[in-house]
Amino acid sequence: MRKYTPFLLLLTVAVACGLNLKRDAGNEQTLARSSTLKRVVRKLSVDPDSLRPLRRTKRRWVLTTIEVEEGDPGPFPKFAANLFNDREINLTIKYLISGPGVDENPRGYFSVDDKTGEVYMLKTINREATPTFVIKFDVADRRTGKIVDQSLVFNIDVKDKNDNAPKFKNSVVDVLLKENSPAGSDVFLLQAEDIDQRGTPNSEFSYSVVSQEPPSTKSQFTINPKTGILSFEGCLDYQSTKSYKILVEAKDHGEPQLSSTATMNIKIEDANNNPPVFVKKEFTGNVKEQQVGVSVLRVSVEDKDTPNTPAWRAKYTVTKGNEDGNYKIETDPQTNDGILTVIKPMDYEKGSRNELEISVENEEPLYICPGAGGRVPTAGGYRVPVVVNVEDVNDPPYFDPSEITVYQTEGTKVPIQLGKVHAVDLDAAHSTLRYEIPAGGDPAKWLTVDKNTGEVTVIAEMDRESPYVNNSIYSVIVLAVDDGKPPQTGTATVLIHLTDVNDNNPFLDSKYVHMCDDPKDTSIVVKATDKDIEPYSGPFIFQLLDKGNDVTNTWKLEQLQGESIKLLRLRELPTGNYTVPLKIIDQQGLATEEDLMLRICECSQEGVCRPLEAQSTSFGGAAIGALIGALLLMLLLLLCCVRCECSGKKISEFPPDTVDEGNQTLIKYNDEGGGCRSQASPPVIMPLPTADHGTTKNSMQNVSELDRTIQTLPRRSSWGLREDRMYGMHMEPAMYSRIMSLKEQNLESERMNLQEKIAMRLFVLNGLDANFNNNEPHVYAEEGELHKVHSLDDISIADNSQGLDFLQDLGPKFRTLGEVCQEGLAQKGFTLKSATKGY
């Protein structure tokens, strides 16, 4: 028996555990399986820890329902519930709580007596802030502080109290309502909210209209108690009431009932509920016939709606009498009047009185409230009759047709009668017409028109190729003018279609072409043109004319399509200009001969001829020798002539009374004629000075040589070219450039002449001998009458009696020469006195 005792004990424990698992205490936790096991084992005197089963079991908590009142005023702490755990049978336990309301936010609402398990509420709770508290309950061994049972988590519910009234989202609402809104229309949706517990009377509420200002019998505002939609019944009238103030209330169903209000400011927007009405029963206006763009009259209306709104602005329509489209009517935006304007000329002869009908309506459709009792106008608005009187004026004549077409062949001999133009004048009973071509109406001046009959005559030969002809059509303007007051004019256009004849030879588009000096570039395209048209123009036939210049062996033509030909070069040619004679024949055999000017040149990469480089020329040795020889011969002949005319003694020194002349001052000579005062010395040809202006072997030794030197200085011809006379010992070769202009050559020549004169003068001064005392007058024996020698007069020596005062006003042109001479004289020891003051 003892052998099976342990097995029996285990079986007993298992049955007891199974019974414990089936027990349920509602919302209490199951009793701890360990507690039951201890009680059984204690009776059997067995170690309970050695017999603990390995299965999971539930423990049992015992607690009362926890529910607290919202807004409970106390006193606090106030008992809320009681906790029990059966662990306290065998252990000294300690009750613990934690979570929101205890040690988590919101803190300090609940506490527990750790010995008895009683739960207390510590302060007033707002359900709308925290409707439920989720709290955790634990038990711990008081001696060790160890948690000895499974934690219990449950909710503490806060019982709602009607402490919140419904609140509107907007306490003040502004609404714009159209006057023409029909009765029953929804005005606005009001929304309120109650934060008390949903699904309870505390959070349920109803809407109602508390008051309406101003009160009205025509319109009454109501609100749906459940949805909060505000509407109205009746008719709105902007002219009587422009705004309403509605007070709306929302009240809940709790105990006690709580409520709040909102104010609605409803502004009525004017609508078109007042039609425009004409201020007169009939309108009358006058207009002159043929006038266009003038205002005939204004029609006025009255409208009670708000000005400058679509309900007030009027729209006018001509409903009768405007079948021909003579009128239009527009609205004046400032006055709202209708302006009737003539847009198509009126004809007095067709009727002097026009009867119209004009209707008016607003831009916004008219609305009449069914309960207002207003009269609805007919479709198209209100109408009024309008009479327009047409005044007779001088009507302009008109051509029928206004455009006349004729055909004529160009080059036909004149005069030619083209035909007559005819104009109609509605006032023919008291007017007369005359025809004329205005200035510029016949630009080529080919035509004339008979002023009485309108007969158009060609008086000059017409040319289709004239610049005044466009696409073979020549346009002429003819006027018909009546004699009314004021005179009126009608216009017609005569279109003359000119038929072409073969009266123009074909010709080259460009006579000047170029071809690159390149073996690969051996052809160019040549194009011809003919002012005539088909069939008197291209395609052309090109022929190469052989005029004895070996043309056919050098050039060849290759026919192309249409009006072009390809010119081929058959052999290489040097660069230069060439003439290629061509013959061009049109379709009808009319031919012309033209020379094509072809240039063969060096080309750039773009195929363009390079520009010619500037070229210079110079004399060769033989030419220079021949020129020098000719000049020497001319100089020799001139010296011989001077030798024959002048003779005398040498000048060895200055005369006593001419000391100032040694200063080389300029003397003004006013003597006409006169001969040479000094005897001519044997002719000595003087060379040019060297670069440093030093003396040479053939230096001048007397005044005669000085005179000849001055006499042989270069002169300027009338064309600005230098002309040397008796100056043959030295001639620099003239270098001329093709690109130098005549003006530049003249300036250069003048500069060279001036330099040479200055150099010559200095050279003579350097070689003068101080001894000129032997200079004596010489009488020349002349046969026949004395002839004036102008070349010698220019260098004649005047008397000192004339003075040197004239040197004071020679001007700035002689300043440079004076400075140069002064420098040379200073080197020789001479001093310039008063003569330099004029420089």
Side-chain angles (χ1 to χ4, degrees):
M1 189 67 182
R2 292 180 179 176
K3 182 178 180 180
Y4 299 102
T5 298
F7 295 103
L8 293 174
L9 291 175
L10 292 174
L11 180 60
T12 302
V13 171
V15 171
C17 292
L19 293 174
N20 289 333
L21 290 173
K22 293 180 180 180
R23 293 177 183 178
D24 189 3
N27 60 342
E28 297 179 358
Q29 297 289 343
T30 60
L31 294 174
R33 185 175 57 192
S34 60
S35 299
T36 305
L37 180 61
K38 287 180 181 180
R39 289 195 297 269
V40 175
V41 173
R42 189 182 298 116
K43 293 179 181 181
L44 295 176
S45 301
V46 179
D47 186 3
D49 294 333
S50 64
L51 299 176
R52 185 181 298 278
L54 300 177
R55 296 177 60 187
R56 179 180 180 183
T57 60
K58 295 184 178 179
R59 292 178 175 83
R60 184 177 300 278
W61 284 88
V62 179
L63 70 162
T64 60
T65 302
I66 301 178
E67 188 177 72
V68 297
E69 186 79 20
E70 176 189 14
D72 193 336
F76 301 105
K78 186 174 183 178
F79 178 79
N82 188 22
L83 299 176
F84 173 76
N85 189 283
D86 61 0
R87 281 279 191 176
E88 68 181 6
I89 298 175
N90 300 315
L91 297 173
T92 302
I93 63 174
K94 180 181 181 180
Y95 289 94
L96 304 173
I97 62 174
S98 61
V102 182
D103 56 357
E104 297 179 11
N105 290 328
R107 299 174 183 271
Y109 280 95
F110 297 98
S111 66
V112 65
D113 188 328
D114 61 351
K115 294 180 181 180
T116 63
E118 294 178 348
V119 180
Y120 293 93
M121 183 172 64
L122 303 179
K123 57 184 177 180
T124 303
I125 300 175
N126 183 11
R127 194 202 71 83
E128 285 71 35
T130 311
T132 302
F133 294 89
V134 181
I135 299 179
K136 178 182 177 182
F137 294 89
D138 288 296
V139 290
D141 190 337
R142 187 176 290 275
R143 291 175 300 173
T144 63
K146 182 179 179 181
I147 302 299
V148 296
D149 203 349
Q150 185 176 357
S151 299
L152 176 65
V153 178
F154 66 97
N155 296 336
I156 297 179
D157 294 330
V158 181
K159 186 178 179 181
D160 185 37
K161 181 181 180 180
N162 190 22
D163 57 347
N164 294 282
K167 288 187 177 181
F168 289 94
K169 291 185 176 181
N170 298 299
S171 60
V172 178
V173 180
D174 295 326
V175 179
L176 187 65
L177 182 62
K178 291 284 291 186
E179 181 187 15
N180 58 358
S181 300
S185 299
D186 295 341
V187 178
F188 192 78
L189 173 63
L190 287 171
Q191 292 181 335
E193 184 181 8
D194 195 322
I195 61 175
D196 288 326
Q197 186 175 358
R198 289 185 178 277
T200 66
N202 295 338
S203 61
E204 296 175 355
F205 57 88
S206 300
Y207 298 96
S208 62
V209 175
V210 178
S211 64
Q212 171 182 323
E213 295 180 5
S216 174
T217 57
K218 293 183 179 180
S219 58
Q220 185 70 34
F221 288 90
T222 60
I223 191 169
N224 189 305
K226 293 183 178 180
T227 62
I229 297 176
L230 184 71
S231 59
F232 75 95
E233 297 295 334
C235 297
L236 300 174
D237 186 3
Y238 174 83
Q239 281 69 32
S240 61
T241 307
K242 294 179 173 57
S243 64
Y244 291 91
K245 184 178 181 180
I246 309 297
L247 184 64
V248 179
E249 181 186 56
K251 180 183 290 186
D252 65 21
H253 302 162
E255 290 294 336
Q257 285 186 310
L258 303 177
S259 63
S260 62
T261 59
T263 302
M264 292 192 65
N265 298 317
I266 301 176
K267 183 179 180 181
I268 307 300
E269 183 181 5
D270 189 22
N272 187 21
N273 61 346
N274 294 283
V277 179
F278 289 102
V279 298
K280 297 168 65 175
K281 294 183 178 181
E282 184 180 86
F283 292 89
T284 303
N286 298 317
V287 63
K288 294 181 179 180
E289 66 171 334
Q290 305 304 326
Q291 278 190 330
V292 176
V294 296
S295 298
V296 178
L297 54 87
R298 284 175 173 255
V299 292
S300 301
V301 295
E302 290 181 351
D303 198 316
K304 296 180 180 180
D305 293 316
T306 304
N308 299 316
T309 63
W312 176 81
R313 286 191 285 266
K315 294 192 305 182
Y316 298 91
T317 306
V318 181
T319 56
K320 290 183 181 179
N322 195 28
E323 289 76 12
D324 295 333
N326 297 98
Y327 303 95
K328 73 173 181 179
I329 189 167
E330 297 175 318
T331 303
D332 187 334
Q334 302 297 326
T335 63
N336 212 28
D337 293 341
I339 304 174
L340 185 66
T341 305
V342 177
I343 60 174
K344 187 176 179 181
M346 305 295 296
D347 191 353
Y348 175 83
E349 283 71 23
K350 292 183 178 180
S352 61
R353 176 185 173 93
N354 290 343
E355 295 183 356
L356 309 176
E357 183 183 74
I358 296 177
S359 65
V360 64
E361 57 184 347
N362 295 120
E363 293 182 359
E364 183 179 313
L366 180 65
Y367 173 76
I368 301 297
C369 183
R375 183 174 66 87
V376 180
T378 59
Y382 291 91
R383 304 168 187 268
V384 67
V386 175
V387 176
V388 178
N389 297 314
V390 181
E391 299 177 3
D392 188 22
V393 296
N394 182 26
D395 295 313
Y398 64 91
F399 289 87
D400 188 17
S402 61
E403 191 173 273
I404 304 167
T405 302
V406 296
Y407 294 87
Q408 186 63 42
T409 302
E410 69 167 331
T412 306
K413 294 183 179 181
V414 296
I416 305 171
Q417 303 296 328
L418 291 182
K420 290 184 179 181
V421 293
H422 179 68
V424 178
D425 191 353
L426 299 178
D427 300 323
H430 51 272
S431 66
T432 304
L433 295 180
R434 75 175 187 276
Y435 300 94
E436 62 182 37
I437 297 177
D442 178 17
K445 301 187 183 306
W446 289 341
L447 306 179
T448 184
V449 61
D450 189 284
K451 66 177 182 179
N452 297 320
T453 64
E455 183 76 33
V456 179
T457 306
V458 180
I459 60 173
E461 185 175 308
M462 293 185 289
D463 184 9
R464 194 200 66 84
E465 290 74 33
S466 169
Y468 302 109
V469 178
N470 185 18
N471 294 328
S472 301
I473 299 176
Y474 181 65
S475 300
V476 180
I477 296 176
V478 179
L479 302 180
V481 185
D482 64 15
D483 57 354
K485 293 183 180 180
Q488 298 293 328
T489 302
T491 304
T493 302
V494 179
L495 302 178
I496 304 175
H497 292 253
L498 293 175
T499 304
D500 191 24
V501 297
N502 196 14
D503 57 345
N504 291 279
N505 295 332
F507 58 91
L508 294 174
D509 278 7
S510 176
K511 291 186 177 182
Y512 301 93
V513 295
H514 75 276
M515 180 183 293
C516 294
D517 186 16
D518 187 349
K520 297 180 181 179
D521 188 6
T522 60
S523 65
I524 58 171
V525 176
V526 180
K527 186 178 180 181
T529 302
D530 196 324
K531 293 182 179 180
D532 294 323
I533 59 176
E534 280 285 339
Y536 304 113
S537 59
F540 304 112
I541 299 175
F542 293 84
Q543 295 179 359
L544 193 62
L545 300 178
D546 190 358
K547 295 187 177 181
N549 295 327
D550 202 15
V551 174
T552 56
N553 294 329
T554 306
W555 310 100
K556 180 182 177 181
L557 296 179
E558 183 176 304
Q559 186 70 39
L560 296 179
Q561 296 293 331
E563 300 175 349
S564 301
I565 195 74
K566 180 180 287 187
L567 179 65
L568 302 176
R569 185 179 64 190
L570 301 179
R571 58 189 178 91
E572 292 188 7
L573 296 173
T575 59
N577 297 325
Y578 297 88
T579 302
V580 181
L582 297 175
K583 185 176 183 180
I584 310 169
I585 308 172
D586 64 15
Q587 293 187 59
Q588 304 302 321
L590 186 61
T592 185
E593 294 183 3
E594 292 221 38
D595 290 337
L596 179 67
M597 311 306 294
L598 177 65
R599 176 187 173 192
I600 298 179
C601 59
E602 295 182 2
C603 295
S604 61
Q605 294 181 355
E606 293 79 13
V608 180
C609 283
R610 299 181 185 275
L612 293 176
E613 297 182 357
Q615 300 181 4
S616 60
T617 58
S618 60
F619 291 106
I624 293 175
L627 181 60
I628 293 176
L631 292 176
L632 289 176
L633 181 59
M634 292 176 61
L635 183 59
L636 181 60
L637 293 175
L638 182 58
L639 290 176
C640 291
C641 292
V642 174
R643 176 66 177 173
C644 294
E645 293 180 0
C646 299
S647 61
K649 297 180 180 180
K650 291 184 179 180
I651 301 175
S652 59
E653 59 182 1
F654 286 108
D657 55 348
T658 58
V659 178
D660 290 340
E661 292 181 0
N663 293 333
Q664 296 296 313
T665 57
L666 297 178
I667 306 299
K668 182 177 181 182
Y669 301 100
N670 295 324
D671 295 340
E672 293 185 3
C676 181
R677 296 178 57 189
S678 61
Q679 183 178 359
S681 301
V684 178
I685 299 177
M686 178 185 64
L688 284 173
T690 60
D692 57 356
H693 304 295
T695 58
T696 60
K697 294 169 71 175
N698 299 326
S699 300
M700 293 290 290
Q701 298 296 328
N702 49 52
V703 178
S704 176
E705 291 174 326
L706 174 61
D707 292 342
R708 287 197 303 273
T709 301
I710 296 175
Q711 200 171 15
T712 57
L713 285 176
R715 293 193 309 169
R716 303 289 298 177
S717 67
S718 60
W719 288 95
L721 301 177
R722 203 177 88 177
E723 183 179 3
D724 293 335
R725 299 178 59 188
M726 297 182 65
Y727 188 26
M729 289 300 298
H730 180 76
M731 171 65 72
E732 292 183 358
M735 305 298 291
Y736 295 93
S737 174
R738 291 183 178 180
I739 62 174
M740 180 180 291
S741 65
L742 182 59
K743 182 177 181 181
E744 293 174 355
Q745 295 177 12
N746 293 343
L747 292 176
E748 181 65 17
S749 178
E750 291 284 357
R751 186 183 64 82
M752 292 177 63
N753 287 344
L754 182 59
Q755 291 177 348
E756 291 174 358
K757 289 179 179 180
I758 294 173
M760 179 65 68
R761 192 66 177 173
L762 292 176
F763 173 75
V764 172
L765 290 175
N766 289 334
L768 284 176
D769 208 331
N771 187 9
F772 290 97
N773 295 328
N774 294 328
N775 185 14
E776 295 178 0
H778 178 74
V779 179
Y780 290 91
E782 294 287 344
E783 294 183 2
E785 296 181 357
L786 181 63
H787 296 281
K788 295 181 180 180
V789 181
H790 297 285
S791 60
L792 297 178
D793 290 340
D794 293 340
I795 59 173
S796 60
I797 300 176
D799 297 336
N800 288 338
S801 59
Q802 296 178 350
L804 301 177
D805 294 337
F806 69 93
L807 297 177
Q808 303 297 331
D809 56 356
L810 291 179
K813 295 183 178 180
F814 290 85
R815 184 180 300 277
T816 303
L817 179 60
E819 291 173 355
V820 173
C821 295
Q822 184 178 6
E823 181 181 356
L825 292 175
Q827 294 177 358
K828 299 295 291 182
F830 298 116
T831 302
L832 293 177
K833 296 181 180 179
S834 61
T836 61
K837 296 180 181 180
Y839 293 146

